[in-house]
Amino acid sequence: MKKYLSMLLATLMVLTALLSLIACSNPDDIPETPKDPTTDPGTTEKPNEGGQERIPLTFPQKSYDFQNASYNILEWACGGQDTAGDSWIPWEEGDVDQLDGGMLSGAVFARNAWVEEEFGVSITKEYVSVEVKISHIYRMRQNRDTSANEFQLVTQRSRNLITMVQENLMFDMNTLAGTILHTDQPWWVQNSIDSYTLGAHLYVASTEMLLRDKGATAALYFNQAIAEDSDLPNFFDLVDDHQWTFANMIAACEIVSTSADGDDLMNSATDMWGCIGGDDPVFFLYASTGRQFAHIDEGGYMEYDFGYDEDSITVMQEIFEDFMYADWYLNTAVDKAILEPYEGKVFPDGHALFSGGMVKSVNDLNEMQEMYGILPYPKYDEDQDDYSSLVWIHHDSILGIPADVADAEMCAVILEALSWESYYSVYPIFYDTILLDRAAKDADSKRMLQLIFQTRIYDPGQYWDTTTGLQHAAGLLRLTSRDSSDIMSVWKMYEGKIEECVKDINKMISDMEE
């Protein structure tokens, strides 16, 4: 990293100048009166950038020098290698080896270099493939069993969470909360802490150094020209007036949907589709109705909601019958015979009103000729209090410190420093410039994107229940192939496994408390 020092200094000057022009509109508000840590600390100060006053970075002692210790991050990737820029990982969040001229990678590079210089560490990374289900678990087990101390930080998809925690592979970050890890501060994502805390323990969470969990947030795109030509209501106004509902979205799809050859059959990629998407919108829509599969109660224990709440089965049934099975919904996971002859991209080419995806899906729309808009997924009805935007477990990131590390204090200090610096220098570029200035093409979409980020949720019923199969290909996802819409039968098939799963998780939590 040192050999890039001259390039780094130039990059820092450019970033500082750029940030001074960016009015920070981070959706996580900084407290008007920052909370003071309860220790007798030293503080780390940095100049304000972009006009945003920094909360001091506070540690128990005035300075740390870790003597060029290795700080190795175990990250997930496609194919077991750095794939930043592809559809799975559009933004680099952990380590950048060299400057490529991009603002975001430049900010990550500068952040890492500052942390290295300030605390005397060398930041490196190792990738494990997302396609090999046991690769990350194998590496974590190996690291623990051999006392190799290979990794100081782990970032993985939350769908891999339960095994890491059940096998005691993760360090309890709450043991350092309030002294080194200030989890009540805005560089920690508070919703993630609320959802990932088990009893009095916190093994994983999200901070503002992570970008993949932001990209994995559910978001809906629509073709503004099609909406205007079809004389549809202004979707932005519907959102503002709390009238953007499941029924209104379906009504719009039905109005727009037409067969290109006039035979009334939706069987060509060039027909006008109401919506295109894969299997994921099943879960995005269920979350957007204000429901979750489970929640963590006040005592830190898991309570399963789906199947036990009075209307959960009914709502899921409606999502399948009125949306997933509608003739105007082009399911990219099921309708491959329709898609394969077509060489273009259905939504960017103007053959669908809506595209169901995530925030990172915006990277697929760079060459779209017509104006697109961004929306949250709809409420169930107007009585619902808030919009709800799911963070999807198959594409997100969570982070934690491996158990049995040689120096947990060093690991925590660098994690806190990376997260703190990211909040002030990396995240504003990602959010204000990459998303708001480049991805959102109009003022209304900018507001909608802000709303999406303000209403992000993490569903414990998804990342803790990865063993029963309810949400896998043999469970609810099987129904997306139009085999059946009998949600009750599927639930009854898995109910016993769910009960055992919840019992095991809560016993694990109870054992932690002893």
Side-chain angles (χ1 to χ4, degrees):
M1 197 69 82
K2 299 294 188 292
K3 68 181 179 179
Y4 295 113
L5 182 58
S6 60
M7 297 173 66
L8 168 64
L9 293 175
T11 302
L12 285 170
M13 293 175 65
V14 172
L15 290 174
T16 301
L18 287 168
L19 283 167
S20 67
L21 299 175
I22 298 173
C24 181
S25 55
N26 195 315
D28 298 316
D29 295 330
I30 298 176
E32 293 182 5
T33 305
K35 299 177 182 179
D36 294 326
T38 57
T39 59
D40 180 19
T43 60
T44 298
E45 303 282 0
K46 278 198 73 177
N48 295 334
E49 295 168 334
Q52 187 176 12
E53 183 177 353
R54 286 180 178 242
I55 300 171
L57 180 61
T58 306
F59 290 131
Q61 64 186 59
K62 292 186 181 298
S63 63
Y64 286 97
D65 184 356
F66 296 113
Q67 302 295 315
N68 201 35
S70 174
Y71 191 82
N72 194 22
I73 305 172
L74 183 66
E75 297 190 34
W76 71 265
C78 296
Q81 59 185 350
D82 183 1
T83 52
D86 73 4
S87 61
W88 275 79
I89 308 172
W91 303 294
E92 180 59 79
E93 61 188 13
D95 185 42
V96 174
D97 289 326
Q98 59 187 357
L99 297 175
D100 64 3
M103 289 182 63
L104 188 58
S105 62
V108 172
F109 183 92
R111 176 203 67 193
N112 287 7
W114 174 78
V115 171
E116 288 184 320
E117 182 70 22
E118 183 73 18
F119 298 97
V121 295
S122 177
I123 298 174
T124 56
K125 88 284 187 184
E126 177 180 326
Y127 290 99
V128 289
S129 176
V130 70
E131 292 137 353
V132 181
K133 295 181 179 180
I134 64 168
S135 61
H136 64 287
I137 300 297
Y138 172 78
R139 295 294 287 122
M140 292 284 287
R141 289 171 182 158
Q142 185 181 52
N143 183 62
R144 177 197 59 192
D145 296 342
T146 62
S147 301
N149 194 41
E150 288 189 75
F151 313 114
Q152 286 66 51
L153 185 70
V154 177
T155 70
Q156 289 294 331
R157 297 188 298 174
S158 59
R159 65 167 294 183
N160 301 325
L161 166 63
I162 189 168
T163 303
M164 293 192 293
V165 175
Q166 285 180 325
E167 295 193 17
N168 299 314
L169 296 173
M170 303 305 297
F171 175 79
D172 181 7
M173 294 187 288
N174 269 352
T175 62
L176 296 175
T179 54
I180 293 176
L181 301 175
H182 301 297
T183 56
D184 60 340
Q185 293 295 348
W187 46 90
W188 288 79
V189 179
Q190 297 305 313
N191 282 352
S192 78
I193 293 174
D194 295 341
S195 295
Y196 288 122
T197 296
L198 298 177
H201 309 280
L202 181 66
Y203 295 98
V204 294
S206 174
T207 77
E208 300 300 13
M209 77 164 284
L210 296 178
L211 300 180
R212 296 176 193 172
D213 66 320
K214 282 71 171 176
T217 305
L220 191 65
Y221 300 85
F222 75 98
N223 186 311
Q224 296 201 40
I226 294 175
E228 292 172 4
D229 292 344
S230 303
D231 198 25
L232 295 175
N234 185 300
F235 297 138
F236 300 126
D237 289 344
L238 291 180
V239 174
D240 292 336
D241 295 337
H242 300 280
Q243 295 177 358
W244 178 231
T245 63
F246 184 56
N248 283 336
M249 178 184 178
I250 289 173
C253 291
E254 290 174 344
I255 290 171
V256 166
S257 173
T258 53
S259 173
D261 57 13
D263 62 1
D264 294 329
L265 297 176
M266 301 297 291
N267 55 14
S268 168
T270 57
D271 290 339
M272 181 57 70
W273 297 87
C275 185
I276 183 172
D279 295 335
D280 300 347
V282 167
F283 301 101
F284 300 163
L285 283 166
Y286 187 74
S288 76
T289 69
R291 294 161 177 82
Q292 296 184 181
F293 282 87
H295 69 277
I296 303 299
D297 67 16
E298 293 181 358
Y301 289 86
M302 180 177 174
E303 289 190 9
Y304 211 84
D305 302 316
F306 184 80
Y308 299 104
D309 282 357
E310 185 174 336
D311 65 349
S312 58
I313 299 291
T314 301
V315 170
M316 184 64 80
Q317 187 108 8
E318 289 179 19
I319 290 171
F320 273 96
E321 293 181 352
D322 297 344
F323 184 88
M324 295 300 295
Y325 292 173
D327 59 2
W328 44 256
Y329 184 65
L330 182 58
N331 189 329
T332 57
V334 175
D335 300 321
K336 294 181 180 179
I338 295 175
L339 287 165
E340 285 173 358
Y342 186 66
E343 297 180 357
K345 296 182 178 180
V346 173
F347 179 73
D349 289 349
H351 298 302
L353 173 61
F354 293 110
S355 176
M358 294 166 277
V359 166
K360 69 177 184 177
S361 306
V362 74
N363 289 282
D364 300 327
L365 306 180
N366 293 329
E367 298 179 2
M368 184 168 173
Q369 297 300 311
E370 295 175 335
M371 182 74 80
Y372 64 82
I374 305 174
L375 297 168
Y377 277 79
K379 296 181 180 182
Y380 181 63
D381 55 35
E382 294 180 28
D383 294 332
Q384 184 177 325
D385 291 334
D386 299 308
Y387 294 96
S388 184
S389 305
L390 182 69
V391 179
W392 189 218
I393 66 171
H394 298 283
H395 290 254
D396 68 342
S397 271
I398 53 172
L399 57 75
I401 299 169
D404 303 319
V405 289
D407 190 343
E409 184 173 354
M410 182 271 282
C411 296
V413 166
I414 304 307
L415 168 57
E416 184 77 357
L418 287 169
S419 301
W420 177 77
E421 178 60 23
S422 296
Y423 180 70
Y424 291 106
S425 64
V426 178
Y427 190 72
I429 289 178
F430 165 73
Y431 184 77
D432 293 328
T433 303
I434 305 300
L435 292 184
L436 290 186
D437 288 351
R438 296 181 183 176
K441 301 299 184 183
D442 57 82
D444 287 317
S445 290
K446 294 180 194 295
R447 291 190 302 102
M448 297 298 108
L449 196 55
Q450 289 170 329
L451 176 61
I452 288 168
F453 271 71
Q454 290 164 358
T455 57
R456 298 169 75 232
I457 66 158
Y458 300 76
D459 186 345
Q462 293 185 346
Y463 50 76
W464 286 117
D465 173 23
T466 58
T467 59
T468 66
L470 173 65
Q471 301 184 51
H472 297 174
L476 288 174
L477 287 181
R478 172 179 62 79
L479 301 184
T480 62
S481 65
R482 300 184 176 90
D483 286 348
S484 168
S485 62
D486 188 351
I487 307 298
M488 180 60 76
S489 293
V490 173
W491 166 246
K492 290 301 182 183
M493 185 185 306
Y494 288 95
E495 184 178 11
K497 292 182 179 180
I498 294 289
E499 290 177 350
E500 288 300 315
C501 175
V502 173
K503 186 184 298 183
D504 290 344
I505 292 170
N506 286 335
K507 183 181 184 304
M508 176 184 70
I509 298 169
S510 179
D511 292 343
M512 292 174 184
E513 303 302 300
E514 294 180 356

